[in-house]
Amino acid sequence: MRTLVLACSIALIPLPVAYAELSIGIAMPGISIGLNMPSYPQLERVPGYPVYYAPTAEANFFFYDGLYWVYQSDDWYASSWYNGPWRRIAPTAVPLYVLRVPVRYYRHPPPHFEGWRRDAPPRWGEHWGPDWEEQHRDWDRWDRSAAPRPAPLPTYQRGYSGDRYPRNVVEQRDVQARHYRYQPVEPVELRTGSPRPADRWGHETRSQSSQQPRQVTTQDQQYGPAEPEHRRQNKGNDGDNRDDGPGNGKGEGRGKDHR
């Protein structure tokens, strides 16, 4: 009888392995979108735009204002690292400069792009409907002379591929804080909490007005608050682009803080 009681007591003790698995799950927010970038991608500037694209990627892959962007299955995803983890971003929260990129720079355009002008941006208003278009009047009309300068590429990430790639977002933040001090002019919220209710397209909806600045969370604490539009247009990242981490090269490192 005493042996039976002892055995039952041992069975009720939580195993350390179970806690370890739970902590890993919590430390890796984001989702997999089936995209595997084994190493830092080749990125080229979209002429006349503050956006880069990946000409050899097996995806519609872009870089703008300190974040990587992927358009896949009619959803937009963002990440601060080139191979995720990714966060789905609602159509109302995708930066307009990303949406303005011409069709020709989508390496794997979806079927509904068929027949659209290759030298013009996708017809997002037609595709996402009148509600989106009403919130984004004249979104495809902009003063090119007032466009912000492109953010410096985070090429320090070249030194992190294969087994060295930080899958844990806490580690990603730590590495980025050491090597990349650029402050976005248009911060995007990469949430780690519960998902928002879906709108009629199946995308997460925003609880705030589209006219309010996007908020950042603990995932990107190094990003400062959004600035007024007139200040965004007059600012560039004309600071030094030095990097003290692996993969040091041109265009990486510290941009001037936008405060």
Side-chain angles (χ1 to χ4, degrees):
M1 182 65 181
R2 295 173 62 184
T3 302
L4 178 60
V5 172
L6 179 60
C8 293
S9 301
I10 293 175
L12 292 175
I13 298 175
L15 295 178
V17 174
Y19 281 104
E21 292 174 351
L22 179 61
S23 65
I24 292 174
I26 292 175
M28 295 184 65
I31 58 177
S32 171
I33 60 175
L35 175 65
N36 181 32
M37 304 289 285
S39 60
Y40 186 82
Q42 173 190 351
L43 293 169
E44 295 183 8
R45 174 91 176 271
V46 176
Y49 294 75
V51 183
Y52 291 84
Y53 78 108
T56 61
E58 295 297 320
N60 302 307
F61 192 98
F62 305 95
F63 178 84
Y64 168 71
D65 201 28
L67 291 176
Y68 301 93
W69 294 85
V70 170
Y71 180 63
Q72 181 174 283
S73 301
D74 203 25
D75 276 313
W76 279 100
Y77 300 91
S79 175
S80 58
W81 279 74
Y82 68 86
N83 201 29
W86 301 92
R87 285 285 166 185
R88 188 175 66 174
I89 307 298
T92 53
V94 180
L96 293 184
Y97 282 110
V98 175
L99 299 180
R100 289 166 176 160
V101 171
V103 168
R104 70 168 69 250
Y105 297 101
Y106 286 75
R107 309 316 299 163
H108 294 269
H112 61 264
F113 279 23
E114 186 69 28
W116 291 357
R117 287 179 50 183
R118 288 177 51 79
D119 61 345
R123 301 175 186 173
W124 298 117
E126 175 184 310
H127 180 62
W128 281 330
D131 291 343
W132 185 91
E133 198 162 25
E134 178 67 23
Q135 297 180 42
H136 299 81
R137 290 181 180 273
D138 298 326
W139 67 274
D140 55 348
R141 299 179 184 178
W142 50 289
D143 183 359
R144 294 176 183 269
S145 65
R149 294 175 60 187
L153 293 173
T155 49
Y156 71 90
Q157 293 180 10
R158 287 175 181 158
Y160 298 89
S161 60
D163 293 339
R164 291 202 66 199
Y165 189 87
R167 298 288 176 181
N168 185 298
V169 295
V170 175
E171 183 182 358
Q172 287 184 348
R173 289 201 305 268
D174 291 343
V175 173
Q176 185 169 10
R178 293 197 303 270
H179 304 311
Y180 192 69
R181 301 299 177 86
Y182 171 75
Q183 295 290 328
V185 296
E186 198 171 358
V188 173
E189 182 179 8
L190 299 182
R191 301 180 69 251
T192 57
S194 58
R196 297 186 179 93
D199 61 17
R200 65 189 181 92
W201 299 290
H203 300 285
E204 293 176 346
T205 57
R206 292 181 60 81
S207 58
Q208 299 176 327
S209 164
S210 62
Q211 300 301 316
Q212 293 179 321
R214 299 180 181 89
Q215 301 298 315
V216 288
T217 62
T218 54
Q219 182 166 346
D220 286 53
Q221 286 292 336
Q222 70 270 31
Y223 291 177
E227 295 185 293
E229 183 64 26
H230 72 279
R231 292 185 63 188
R232 295 181 192 174
Q233 293 178 349
N234 293 330
K235 283 194 174 183
N237 31 298
D238 52 355
D240 67 323
N241 290 332
R242 291 174 292 121
D243 179 27
D244 55 359
N248 186 19
K250 262 188 175 179
E252 60 186 298
R254 298 173 173 81
K256 189 175 182 179
D257 289 358
H258 293 259
R259 298 192 179 183

